[in-house]
Amino acid sequence: MQSEKVVIVVGGDQTDVAALVHRYSASHRLVGADRGALTLAGLLADFDAAIGDFDSVTPAEMEEIKKKSRICRVLPAQKDETDTEAAIAYAIETFNPEEIILLGAFGGRLDHLMSNLWLAFHPLLQGMAGKISLMDRHNSLRFYMPGSYVLEKEADKKYLSFIGMTPIKKLTLTGVAYPLHGKDYDYPIALVSNEFEENGMRFSFESGLLAVIQSTDKRK
């Protein structure tokens, strides 16, 4: 099966979603999870799939989602997986993705945000190190399993942070303002507000799960 790139719009803060959807609409498959599907229906003439229980949309909104989505899967309200997890499972099954970008994953309800962050531990995403990201206009977050990586600076981002989701062993950072050389952390730790020295940097670690965030300050 050919690998494709996928954007999944979920039901968090939709403030920055429109601009990012239009940025990726020509290059990525588009899937809406629950109210994220309503956002896509309001932005596009059609999109690939809508997945969710849709308990937060009106009947008129549901008709609009069905009209705009090529595939619409309505899930039971009482289920073991979240709508986001179901949308990711659909994307993996259907598109064999080389990249998954979640939009609308930040903001909104705090429990939804934590659920989205804990996707890093989900069995669905094993083997997708560095291929799944949570993004809005000011932040991009990717999860990494142990290994060595080269990271390019995003042109519109200033800060670079490394968040240990677990204890981390032998973390090395080079090409940044605050380098590290084989540092161990026995508990999850947030190493924030580092910066690229040039347009790229390298990092590596031997065990644990790492979230890497590029970000910039919000301006009014």
Side-chain angles (χ1 to χ4, degrees):
M1 181 190 300
Q2 180 182 354
S3 294
E4 302 191 65
K5 298 178 179 180
V6 181
V7 164
I8 300 176
V9 180
V10 303
D13 185 358
Q14 304 293 295
T15 303
D16 300 322
V17 167
L20 293 168
V21 165
H22 289 306
R23 178 192 298 178
Y24 293 113
S25 60
S27 56
H28 288 59
R29 296 287 191 169
L30 298 170
V31 177
D34 203 63
R35 285 195 69 83
L38 182 62
T39 296
L40 286 175
L43 293 172
L44 302 170
D46 58 81
F47 59 98
D48 291 283
I51 311 292
D53 56 34
F54 302 106
D55 59 354
S56 61
V57 305
T58 67
E61 290 170 337
M62 191 69 240
E63 285 305 309
E64 185 71 5
I65 290 170
K66 288 180 178 178
K67 183 170 67 174
K68 297 288 187 71
S69 59
R70 299 185 188 103
I71 298 292
C72 184
R73 289 187 178 176
V74 180
L75 307 175
Q78 295 184 341
K79 55 189 183 300
D80 293 331
E81 60 183 356
T82 66
D83 293 324
T84 299
E85 290 169 350
I88 291 172
Y90 172 84
I92 291 173
E93 171 191 336
T94 307
F95 303 119
N96 186 32
E98 62 183 78
E99 175 183 54
I100 295 177
I101 298 173
L102 297 184
L103 304 180
F106 303 128
R109 283 171 47 179
L110 186 57
D111 57 341
H112 286 173
L113 171 61
M114 295 301 293
S115 175
N116 291 334
L117 292 176
W118 255 244
L119 285 170
F121 299 99
H122 200 291
L124 275 172
L125 301 180
Q126 300 307 305
M128 294 194 66
K131 295 181 180 180
I132 183 164
S133 59
L134 284 61
M135 187 180 298
D136 65 15
R137 196 172 68 181
H138 303 282
N139 308 275
S140 63
L141 179 156
R142 288 179 175 83
F143 299 112
Y144 291 90
M145 299 298 288
S148 298
Y149 302 93
V150 176
L151 187 67
E152 293 185 2
K153 183 181 186 300
E154 297 177 24
D156 59 342
K157 305 296 193 300
K158 178 179 180 180
Y159 301 110
L160 178 63
S161 299
F162 296 85
I163 313 297
M165 306 285 287
T166 65
I168 301 292
K169 297 296 184 184
K170 306 300 181 186
L171 178 61
T172 294
L173 311 175
T174 59
V176 292
Y178 306 102
L180 287 176
H181 300 284
K183 179 72 173 178
D184 291 343
Y185 295 96
D186 294 330
Y187 54 91
I189 192 167
L191 306 172
V192 302
S193 298
N194 211 327
E195 296 185 34
F196 287 85
E197 287 192 319
E198 297 182 357
N199 289 325
M201 61 84 61
R202 294 177 181 271
F203 69 94
S204 64
F205 61 109
E206 292 186 359
S207 69
L209 177 63
L210 195 65
V212 179
I213 301 172
Q214 294 194 52
S215 59
T216 189
D217 293 316
K218 291 186 178 182
R219 295 178 175 84
K220 294 182 180 179

